[in-house]
Amino acid sequence: MRSRFSRDPRPDGMLGRQPSAVLLATQVMAVIAYPFLDTSTVGRALLGVAQIAVVGAALAAVRRTPALTWVALLVGLPAAGFTVLEALTTGVDWIVLVSALLHAPFYFYVSYSMVRYLFHDDKVTRDELYATGAAFTVVAWGFAYVYAAVAVLSPDSFSGGSATDGQTWFELLYLSFSVLTSVGLSDVVPMGSHARSFVAVEMVVGVLYVALVISRLVGLTVSRQAMKAADKD
C-alpha cells in the first residue's frame, strides 16, 4: 500500500516536471493578451489558440494528479472545439452557451484534480506551489463560464461593463476574479437572482480555498522549517 508521504509515481509529461507552472503562465498570458486581441477576427482566432493552449496545459497538469485524465479529456476536447467556434463567430447564443456548459465543468474538474494533488501527501514540492496558484485561477475561469451561461439563459442578469448589449467574457472573468479574491473591484454587478446565487457560491469557494488550501500549505512549510531547525540542533 502506498504511503501518504510518497510521491505520485507517474512519469513527467511533455511539459516537464512543473506542468502546473506552465498552466499558470499560460493563463496569465491569455489574460494579459485578451485586451490586445479581442477587437478583430484574427485576434479572436489567436485568443482561441491561446484558450486551447490553456486547455492542453490543464490536461497535462491533471495527468500529474491522482484524478482521472480520461474524464478531463472527455470534456476538454469538445470544449477546445467550441473555443474555435467562438473565435470564428461573434455573439451566437447557442455556441456561447454550449461552450460555457463544456468549459465550466472542465475547469472545475481540473481545479478539483489539482486540489487533490495538493492534498496527496505532506510534502510541498515546487510544482505544488505552482498548482496552488493555478488551481485558484482555474476556479475563476470556471465561474466566468458559469456567468456566461447565466447571461445567455437569463438576459440582464448582470449590469455594467463596456458593451451596450451585455458583458464580454473578459468582463465576466474580471468579475469572477474580483469575487473569488473578495476585492470587489469589478464594475459588473449581478442583478438577477440566478447570477447572485452563483456569485454567492463563488464567494464561499474563495474563502474556503484560502482557509483550507493556503493555510495547509503555509502550515506544512512552517512545519518543515521547524523540523529542519530541530535537526540542526
Side-chain angles (χ1 to χ4, degrees), residues 117-135:
Y117 176 43
L118 294 172
F119 281 80
H120 185 61
D121 55 30
D122 291 335
K123 295 181 180 180
V124 181
T125 65
R126 182 176 299 177
D127 188 61
E128 287 178 351
L129 291 175
Y130 290 124
T132 304

Side-chain angles (χ1 to χ4, degrees), residues 24-106:
L24 180 59
T26 306
Q27 288 177 290
V28 171
M29 288 188 292
V31 169
I32 294 174
Y34 197 96
F36 297 99
L37 301 176
D38 191 42
T39 57
S40 67
T41 303
V42 175
R44 289 195 300 272
L46 291 175
L47 283 173
V49 173
Q51 185 76 356
I52 292 175
V54 172
V55 172
L59 289 171
V62 168
R63 187 173 181 273
R64 285 292 299 263
T65 73
L68 300 174
T69 304
W70 69 267
V71 175
L73 283 171
L74 188 64
V75 185
L77 293 181
F82 271 87
T83 294
V84 176
L85 287 178
E86 280 194 282
L88 297 176
T89 59
T90 305
V92 180
D93 284 348
W94 75 269
I95 293 179
V96 174
L97 177 60
V98 175
S99 178
L101 293 178
L102 288 171
H103 279 90
F106 170 73

Side-chain angles (χ1 to χ4, degrees), residues 14 26 33 58 75 85 88 96 107 123 142 161 164 168 170 174 177 208 219:
M14 60 182 298
T26 306
V75 185
L85 287 178
L88 297 176
V96 174
Y107 284 119
K123 295 181 180 180
T164 57
T168 66
F170 186 70
Y174 184 70
F177 273 110
L208 289 178

Side-chain angles (χ1 to χ4, degrees), residues 180-201:
L180 193 62
T181 56
S182 301
V183 298
L185 293 178
S186 179
D187 57 340
V188 179
V189 180
M191 300 298 293
S193 298
H194 298 294
R196 288 176 174 173
S197 295
F198 285 112
V199 166
V201 171

